[in-house]
Amino acid sequence: MEMPKGVSLWEDASVRLRKNKLAMCGLVFLVVMVLLCLITPWIVPYGYEEQDLRLGASAPSAAHWLGTDIFGRDMLTRILYGGRVSLFVGFIATFVALIIGVTYGAIAGYAGGKVDSIMMRLVDIMYALPFMIFIVLLMVVFGRNLVLLFMAIGAVEWLTMARIVRGQVQNLKQQEFVEAAVSIGQSPFAIIWKHLIPNALGPVIVYTTLTIPNVMLLEAFLSFLGLGIQPPSSSWGLLISYGVESMEEYPWLLIFPGVALALTLFALNFLGDGLRDALDPKASRD
Amino acid sequence: MWRFLTWRLLQAIPVILAVITITFFLVRAAPGGPFSTEKAVHPQVQAALEAQYRLDQPMIQQYLSYLGDLVQGDLGPSFNFPGRSVNELIFSGLPITAELGLYAMLVAVLIGGLAGVFAALKPNSLQDYVPMSLSMIGICMPSFLLGPLLVLIFGIWLDWLPISGWGNSPGDKVLPSITLGAMYAGYIARLSRSGMLEVLSADYLRTARAKGLPERVVIAKHALRGGLLPVITFLGPAFAGLLSGSFVVETVFQIPGLGRFYIQAAFNRDYTMILGTTTFLAALIVFFNLLSDVIAAWLNPRLRYQFKKAS
């Protein structure tokens, strides 16, 4: 006779995720996109700034699959390099938000009482602030540098994460295994780090996946307005804003970077939704 | 109810004060002032200008007198448009932005709400998948991409609609409104779908059906009210989003609204204009959040009961 095999939460979730076709498409697309962007410098046949002024803006052809821009620079190369920046900003700023949000939420949830209510009041107040306006302001006032961009975007996006983690920690805190950890004399830090956060990981992963597209959108929005990434660096947002300028004559300059950005955002959202269904079946789909 | 309202209004004050304070000192901390141009200005002229705009006083005094003026509803003169006050500029842009926001909201609520309810009536069918996929497109497609694409297709290739301006030629309000509203239509479609799905299996709907009401009345009168509640609570934050979305849409379509003024002021380091618009927009956002909370409370019998008990 065979023993029935136990199914862990993660195995269970991965089975459910693999059944979700849209989410798997999203995952595959993302992996391919990230890999392509990582190895860009070694696979593209043209330089990032390599101009061919005789060529000018040319439509897609065998030599330039996605055409060239008005300086005769290869669009595929530029889109891949732009993707490096867009994805990099997306991941790093989300990471900043993740760290701040999880720490803040876990402390508030674990401390409870007055500390918790003060900390969460503060979050409520920050929710009401018009952050978009502040980010525009920050970028204008202090110049457009990348570190500030990360900090500004990270500072906006941690709020929801803090709320989610706090709720999770509050629930978990009352369970016996935490009591046991307290009784054997573990420090609050160890309890939060080793017992509470790992158990709250599901919602955190889901929300992180859904934060990345928001962050990328924000970066693209700022770059589009001329407040984000500055030339000679490039990002999808910046490429789109160049594309808009000449879309009447050379629509491919707008369409290709646009498609790259939109598909990536799609993929991330589908993956996030799929992860939510897989890891957190109780959460409503809204 | 009144107690709830007063409590929420009182909460709004520190938020707005925080916005003003942060913006004030942030803008002052910026390197380079509005009058630090490459051209050397005569020191006396410089001094006179600074005196006119109170820049010669200590920072804290500037701050306090700004607050004093603000209480009286005066946002001060604009740095960049001499002779014009920030109030004037805001109120010349506001009607346009408000109109744009209103149309965008209409697009969002009508299209999004209909799509969501429609999808919820037959879940997991084609009637569900098509509107929900479209809503995903709406959510993922940034306005600065959707706008130019719409212009390219409907303005340039098909030549059906004007590609820029506001109120100058017939139909020029269509594309900006759709561009701004599309994302929120997507969110509202998803919210109303999940809201309706939850309500459709509720006991009180079974009761309504059991007493013989036609399906049409059950949906329109009983289900919609409960099912669309999440949408109402979403409207407050959505308005805030619409305001920042209008930055892009107004830039893309060259509409002389508040959003464009703000971006211009930010680029020109027009201190008072930045401060004024930020304060104004923040107050608007706080107000809309408040409004949507109150409406949600009013629509939800359970919450209404709580307020009655409390007051």
Side-chain angles (χ1 to χ4, degrees):
Chain A
M1 228 177 80
E2 246 178 278
M3 285 286 282
K5 235 180 93 196
V7 180
S8 79
L9 172 76
W10 297 105
E11 285 172 64
D12 198 27
S14 91
V15 169
R16 251 178 306 202
L17 184 66
R18 255 180 268 150
K19 273 194 200 141
N20 187 333
K21 286 198 196 82
L22 272 178
M24 287 317 283
C25 288
L27 184 62
V28 171
F29 178 85
L30 281 173
V31 169
V32 171
M33 193 53 137
V34 169
L35 281 180
L36 274 181
C37 287
L38 277 178
I39 56 171
T40 302
W42 296 279
I43 53 166
V44 287
Y46 302 96
Y48 168 68
E49 285 290 338
E50 194 181 315
Q51 301 187 351
D52 187 348
L53 288 170
R54 284 167 309 150
L55 196 58
S58 70
S61 61
H64 301 276
W65 292 355
L66 298 185
T68 51
D69 72 0
I70 47 172
F71 299 110
R73 293 179 293 195
D74 182 56
M75 272 312 273
L76 181 61
T77 308
R78 289 183 68 74
I79 287 173
L80 284 174
Y81 272 102
R84 283 164 78 91
V85 174
S86 286
L87 287 168
F88 183 69
V89 172
F91 286 116
I92 298 290
T94 304
F95 187 70
V96 172
L98 180 75
I99 297 293
I100 304 178
V102 169
T103 316
Y104 195 94
I107 292 176
Y110 188 75
K114 269 231 168 68
V115 178
D116 173 48
S117 73
I118 291 174
M119 283 176 87
M120 293 328 279
R121 255 302 31 115
L122 202 68
V123 170
D124 287 348
I125 290 181
M126 292 183 74
Y127 253 114
L129 293 177
F131 261 111
M132 203 57 237
I133 298 176
F134 273 132
I135 291 189
V136 171
L137 201 60
L138 265 178
M139 298 318 285
V140 169
V141 169
F142 293 107
R144 291 120 210 192
N145 73 53
L146 211 58
V147 177
L148 197 69
L149 188 69
F150 290 148
M151 278 169 34
I153 296 178
V156 183
E157 297 285 343
W158 67 270
L159 295 171
T160 313
M161 183 66 87
R163 273 193 181 171
I164 291 174
V165 172
R166 175 207 171 238
Q168 290 283 321
V169 166
Q170 245 183 349
N171 287 338
L172 290 169
K173 195 171 71 167
Q174 285 149 5
Q175 292 187 12
E176 286 85 359
F177 73 93
V178 179
E179 225 169 281
V182 175
S183 71
I184 60 168
Q186 287 207 304
S187 69
F189 174 78
I191 293 174
I192 290 179
W193 184 246
K194 281 200 197 135
H195 299 285
L196 294 176
I197 290 178
N199 279 296
L201 218 51
V204 169
I205 291 177
V206 172
Y207 189 70
T208 306
T209 322
L210 291 171
T211 302
I212 300 173
N214 279 347
V215 170
M216 290 180 63
L217 208 55
L218 208 54
E219 178 274 317
F221 170 86
L222 289 170
S223 298
F224 180 82
L225 287 175
L227 297 168
I229 304 296
Q230 296 296 308
S233 307
S234 185
S235 78
W236 287 335
L238 200 61
L239 287 175
I240 290 172
S241 89
Y242 290 148
V244 168
E245 283 166 22
S246 55
M247 67 179 180
E248 225 166 307
E249 303 89 5
Y250 319 118
W252 61 89
L253 297 185
L254 168 66
I255 290 172
F256 291 131
V259 167
L261 177 65
L263 281 182
T264 308
L265 295 177
F266 260 124
L268 280 162
N269 273 311
F270 281 133
L271 181 63
D273 273 359
L275 280 172
R276 170 160 52 198
D277 292 345
L279 283 171
D280 197 9
K282 275 172 291 171
S284 65
R285 284 179 52 99
D286 55 24
Chain B
M1 192 79 202
W2 286 113
R3 236 174 77 178
F4 169 70
L5 256 181
T6 348
W7 171 234
R8 285 301 316 267
L9 271 176
L10 283 179
Q11 271 189 330
I13 294 172
V15 172
I16 294 180
L17 199 65
V19 171
I20 299 171
T21 313
I22 297 173
T23 319
F24 186 91
F25 290 104
L26 203 62
V27 173
R28 289 297 195 275
F35 307 122
S36 58
T37 45
E38 290 87 53
K39 268 189 303 179
V41 183
H42 195 276
Q44 269 177 336
V45 177
Q46 178 98 21
L49 270 174
E50 286 186 351
Q52 193 195 336
Y53 292 104
R54 296 207 203 100
L55 288 176
D56 52 346
Q57 293 170 0
M59 191 83 91
I60 193 75
Q61 201 172 345
Q62 289 181 36
Y63 174 65
L64 289 177
S65 41
Y66 184 80
L67 281 187
D69 287 348
L70 190 70
V71 172
Q72 298 162 30
D74 179 13
L75 295 169
S78 162
F79 280 158
N80 244 53
F81 301 94
R84 297 191 67 183
S85 74
V86 174
N87 289 31
E88 254 175 73
L89 288 169
I90 287 183
F91 284 102
S92 76
L94 181 65
I96 295 176
T97 301
E99 204 187 345
L100 173 63
L102 187 70
Y103 292 153
M105 214 46 161
L106 277 179
V107 168
V109 172
L110 287 182
I111 298 181
L114 273 178
V117 172
F118 198 60
L121 292 180
K122 259 195 186 167
N124 299 322
S125 68
L126 207 62
Q127 189 179 332
D128 182 14
Y129 293 142
V130 173
M132 283 306 109
S133 316
L134 285 177
S135 83
M136 201 67 193
I137 298 181
I139 291 173
C140 293
M141 190 74 115
S143 58
F144 54 84
L145 181 58
L146 182 63
L149 284 180
L150 288 178
V151 165
L152 194 62
I153 297 171
F154 295 104
I156 295 171
W157 290 344
L158 295 173
D159 201 16
W160 286 350
L161 290 163
I163 57 169
S164 67
W166 187 257
N168 299 326
S169 47
D172 64 356
K173 294 180 181 177
V174 176
L175 289 183
S177 308
I178 293 179
T179 307
L180 189 54
M183 186 193 217
Y184 300 96
Y187 279 120
I188 288 177
R190 298 179 64 156
L191 281 175
S192 54
R193 176 181 176 274
S194 62
M196 284 299 281
L197 277 181
E198 213 163 282
V199 166
L200 281 173
S201 55
D203 286 342
Y204 76 91
L205 274 201
R206 208 175 44 194
T207 313
R209 287 200 184 104
K211 68 180 184 186
L213 289 179
E215 190 63 21
R216 189 169 38 84
V217 179
V218 173
I219 301 292
K221 214 175 152 200
H222 295 266
L224 278 185
R225 223 176 152 179
L228 294 187
L229 253 180
V231 176
I232 305 283
T233 17
F234 173 70
L235 289 186
F239 258 107
L242 278 182
L243 280 176
S244 41
S246 69
F247 293 178
V248 166
V249 174
E250 285 174 12
T251 309
V252 169
F253 291 95
Q254 292 166 20
I255 298 169
L258 213 51
R260 222 168 134 223
F261 277 146
Y262 182 75
I263 297 290
Q264 267 174 8
F267 272 110
N268 294 336
R269 293 187 193 293
D270 190 339
Y271 288 174
T272 45
M273 188 69 196
I274 296 175
L275 254 175
T277 17
T278 308
T279 311
F280 185 76
L281 291 177
L284 265 186
I285 289 172
V286 169
F287 172 75
F288 279 120
N289 281 332
L290 185 73
L291 196 68
S292 76
D293 277 6
V294 171
I295 293 177
W298 178 63
L299 280 178
N300 188 342
R302 236 171 296 158
L303 283 175
R304 212 181 330 163
Y305 178 66
Q306 274 176 8
F307 296 135
K308 267 198 197 131
K309 252 197 331 195
S311 55

